Amino acid sequence: MIATRRFTSNVSNQFRALITGAPGSGKGTISSRIATDFDLVHISSGDVLRRHVKQGTELGHKAKAYIDNGTLVPDDLMVNLMTNEIKRISKTRWLLDGFPRTIEQAKQLHKKQKFDVVVNLDVPFSEIKRRIQQRYVHLSSGRVYHLEWNPPKNAGMDDVTGEPLTQRDDDKPETVASRLNIFQSQMAPVLAFYKDLGILQTFTGTESDVIYPEIKAYLLGYLQSK
Ligand code: AP5
Ligand code: MG
């Protein structure tokens, strides 16, 4: 098989992807592998929001209550925020994670920006609830750990910066249940929208180490066909 780096160095800059899936399905984990292997910029809407909250911006103040309750930040705020983020990276290959996640967001974005592929992670909710209890994150970079599955090299510390890891405020069991319910009701029409456009590819499983090679092969195949 051709090495990914050698291959991707020949492809155009015009590659726009979305990764979607329920809270805790592994979007962040798999995105960091895609970003490394395909030399893409990864932008997670949740990471962007959490940085605003941490910095105490006006948007951060508005978004905090929604995030802490496990409900969605209003569409108009999200569309403004994320279209600005996309403008900043318009010259690079990129992967969005967690936006759009309502049909309104998808339609608004579609007027301005089309995706080449949408990768959908389909992981059972029972597995997700188990995973999230052991998740730790490095807030400023968005790096994600799991106490057993991918623990940090030094307990409680980020591998790259050595800064302390934290648990997300919205990872309490009752908040996770609310996030999963909202995901189910809001994402069904979004997935149907991308399916109708012929760009949705779903990967089902419980192991990111098994799902990722399938995603990588799919993306390589897609890029090779262009
Ligand atoms: P966001 O940050 O996007 O959260 P989410 O979609 O709920 O997804 P998560 O980040 O929780 O999970 P993930 O799929 O990235 O999984 P991960 O790789 O960490 O959004 C947060 C909030 O912001 C929303 O609730 C909302 O309020 C707001 N928001 C964001 N976008 C919005 C939008 N567009 N519109 C409105 N509001 C918006 O993996 C999970 C854990 O599992 C990790 O610990 C990982 O190490 C572990 N893991 C992964 N794979 C495995 C495995 N195979 N085995 C064991 N553990 C594993
Ligand atoms: Mg995430």
Side-chain angles (χ1 to χ4, degrees), residues 21-30 44-47 49-50 63 66-67 70-75 78 97-102 105 121 127 130-132 134-137 144-146 149-150 168 170-171 179 206-209:
S25 57
K27 299 184 294 297
T29 304
I30 286 184
S44 151
S45 54
D47 289 347
L49 287 168
R50 282 185 287 279
Y66 297 101
I67 299 172
T71 52
L72 294 182
V73 175
D75 288 337
M78 287 313 298
D97 158 359
F99 174 85
R101 69 170 83 189
T102 67
Q105 292 178 14
L121 305 180
E127 164 72 14
R130 200 180 57 74
R131 282 181 188 183
I132 281 187
Q134 303 216 51
R135 169 164 65 184
Y136 278 77
V137 294
V144 180
Y145 299 86
H146 182 280
W149 182 69
N150 65 336
R168 277 172 41 180
D170 60 346
D171 278 351
R179 288 161 58 201
T206 55
E207 275 300 321
S208 298
D209 288 344

Side-chain angles (χ1 to χ4, degrees), residues 7 10-12 14-15 116-117 219-226:
F7 177 76
N10 296 328
V11 300
S12 84
Q14 301 300 310
F15 182 65
D116 297 306
V117 296
L219 292 177
L220 276 171
Y222 174 86
L223 290 166
Q224 237 153 3
S225 71
K226 291 293 130 190

Side-chain angles (χ1 to χ4, degrees), residues 112-190:
K112 298 174 184 164
Q113 178 68 60
K114 315 275 188 272
F115 291 115
D116 297 306
V117 296
V118 175
V119 169
N120 177 39
L121 305 180
D122 176 24
V123 176
F125 285 5
S126 52
E127 164 72 14
I128 284 174
K129 286 176 186 163
R130 200 180 57 74
R131 282 181 188 183
I132 281 187
Q133 288 165 10
Q134 303 216 51
R135 169 164 65 184
Y136 278 77
V137 294
H138 178 243
L139 269 185
S140 48
S141 69
R143 267 183 294 280
V144 180
Y145 299 86
H146 182 280
L147 289 186
E148 288 168 17
W149 182 69
N150 65 336
K153 290 183 190 125
N154 296 313
M157 302 297 173
D158 178 48
D159 288 351
V160 177
T161 63
E163 290 168 356
L165 301 176
T166 52
Q167 281 197 291
R168 277 172 41 180
D169 290 338
D170 60 346
D171 278 351
K172 295 191 235 35
E174 62 277 18
T175 315
V176 171
S178 158
R179 288 161 58 201
L180 289 171
N181 285 337
I182 290 171
F183 170 81
Q184 254 178 334
S185 61
Q186 297 291 326
M187 277 308 286
V190 178

Side-chain angles (χ1 to χ4, degrees), residues 12-66:
S12 84
N13 263 344
Q14 301 300 310
F15 182 65
R16 319 301 198 206
L18 166 67
I19 187 163
T20 186
S25 57
K27 299 184 294 297
T29 304
I30 286 184
S31 293
S32 56
R33 296 185 193 182
I34 296 175
T36 304
D37 285 347
F38 291 88
D39 203 14
L40 296 174
V41 175
H42 164 227
I43 299 193
S44 151
S45 54
D47 289 347
V48 174
L49 287 168
R50 282 185 287 279
R51 279 197 285 275
H52 275 273
V53 172
K54 196 174 173 209
Q55 289 160 8
T57 66
E58 192 185 337
L59 175 80
H61 284 299
K62 285 184 187 156
K64 187 174 185 326
Y66 297 101

